[in-house]
Amino acid sequence: MIEWISAVPAAIDIAGKTEEIGSLWDTLAEALFGKKRRVGFTGMPGVGKSVLLDHITKVMYARGYKVPGQSEKEEVAQIKAEGTRIALTVVPGQQRSRYQREALETLFAGKKTVDGIVHVVANGYPTIRSEVARETLIQQGLDSVAAFRQAQLTAERDDLRRTCTYLRTSILRNHKPTWLLVAVNKVDLYQKPAELSAAQRYYSPDAAEESEFTKILFDLQREVGSLNFQWQTIRVCSRPEDFHWNGQTVNKTLQLREAEYYVDQFLRELARFCGI
């Protein structure tokens, strides 16, 4: 059972002694709370990274909760679980933005490299919040759900390749992160047996053949060594909702209570990767 805390310890800043005191704090905190793990959340905009974070920190269950909008800056939180402190960082999804670049540099090239990554994908169903962006995509020919999804799956692979570039450099230099968990979100939109099978073939490392998606991660694993890097996939539904695109609708097939089962499985898998 995970015991959650939502407050992040305040930074200690005394002129000329910040690093020394910070080191002492880390030593004291490890003695009091156990070893610290660092986990980063990556993925495209609109795939549900922030909502998953809200599940982990239990913000999701507060009265009057509202789904967060597009994150422009990194989000941070900290939890405590059975002798382990886990620091969580969500990288903003906007491609090649200054905030995304700074967050990725901090995660992979900072003084304290992350131990693991949760890479969130949406099986081609990211939420496009900007009306201008929606109209632009429709004018570019993505006027059906099928066309939109195909383009988003391509963009999803490109995003994964960029993330793997940072992963490769960090693993070869720092031997971290040692694992990546692919959270395939929005499972409420593809519950039919054929759709689930297709998603499994596309995302799972246990599929009979490598897909365009899994090949990217297998190539990284072959390059850095399977002893240095492991990855797995799990389905999740951070919040069930219908998907609307240009007058077409894909109806959700799960209710909130049913979706919580998938969130529970995701949290258990995340805990396992964190060594809890």
Side-chain angles (χ1 to χ4, degrees), residues 38-82:
R38 292 178 172 81
V39 178
F41 282 67
T42 58
M44 291 172 52
V47 294
K49 299 186 297 296
S50 297
V51 180
L52 281 178
L53 179 69
D54 289 346
H55 274 288
I56 294 172
T57 58
K58 286 197 171 181
V59 172
M60 174 80 176
Y61 304 103
R63 179 174 296 181
Y65 172 80
K66 293 183 179 180
V67 176
Q70 182 169 292
S71 303
E72 295 184 355
K73 297 183 180 181
E74 71 176 16
E75 302 167 75
V76 296
Q78 181 165 294
I79 60 176
K80 185 180 72 173
E82 297 184 8

Side-chain angles (χ1 to χ4, degrees), residues 87-106:
L88 306 164
T89 301
V90 177
V91 175
Q94 294 89 335
Q95 301 301 315
R96 299 183 178 86
S97 69
R98 177 171 66 89
Y99 295 120
Q100 185 193 56
R101 185 173 62 254
E102 289 175 352
L104 287 169
E105 290 290 341
T106 300

Side-chain angles (χ1 to χ4, degrees), residues 135-195:
E135 288 301 320
T136 299
L137 291 173
I138 291 169
Q139 291 171 9
Q140 290 174 351
L142 307 183
D143 54 358
S144 68
V145 171
F148 173 81
R149 288 194 63 223
Q150 192 62 43
Q152 295 308 311
L153 288 170
T154 299
E156 188 179 270
R157 293 192 297 272
D158 291 340
D159 178 67
L160 178 62
R161 289 189 188 95
R162 281 189 289 271
T163 302
C164 284
T165 298
Y166 284 94
L167 280 165
R168 183 179 294 105
T169 300
S170 180
I171 294 169
L172 293 175
R173 180 184 300 165
N174 305 310
H175 306 293
K176 286 184 179 183
T178 57
W179 57 266
L180 181 143
L181 179 61
V182 180
V184 188
N185 199 11
K186 307 199 179 183
V187 69
D188 57 308
L189 299 175
Y190 52 98
Q191 277 288 294
K192 295 178 181 179
E195 295 170 336

Side-chain angles (χ1 to χ4, degrees), residues 41 65 118 126 158 179 215 217 219 233 241 264:
F41 282 67
Y65 172 80
V118 176
D158 291 340
W179 57 266
K215 184 179 185 304
L217 288 167
D219 284 346
T233 301
E241 58 184 351
D264 178 70

Side-chain angles (χ1 to χ4, degrees), residues 193-265:
E195 295 170 336
L196 286 171
S197 296
Q200 181 178 11
R201 290 193 302 273
Y202 185 70
Y203 289 109
S204 174
D206 302 320
E209 298 181 0
E210 294 182 12
S211 70
E212 291 181 280
F213 184 91
T214 62
K215 184 179 185 304
I216 299 169
L217 288 167
F218 277 128
D219 284 346
L220 171 63
Q221 191 176 47
R222 283 187 282 263
E223 184 172 348
V224 302
S226 59
L227 294 179
N228 299 318
F229 178 73
Q230 299 291 320
W231 71 278
Q232 189 52 263
T233 301
I234 189 165
R235 292 173 293 166
V236 69
C237 178
S238 59
R239 188 176 181 86
E241 58 184 351
D242 296 339
F243 180 82
H244 303 283
W245 186 257
N246 196 29
Q248 301 177 42
T249 298
V250 178
N251 294 314
K252 65 183 180 183
T253 58
L254 300 177
Q255 298 303 313
L256 189 58
R257 186 165 293 186
E258 296 171 304
E260 288 176 351
Y261 164 80
Y262 287 97
V263 173
D264 178 70
Q265 295 304 303

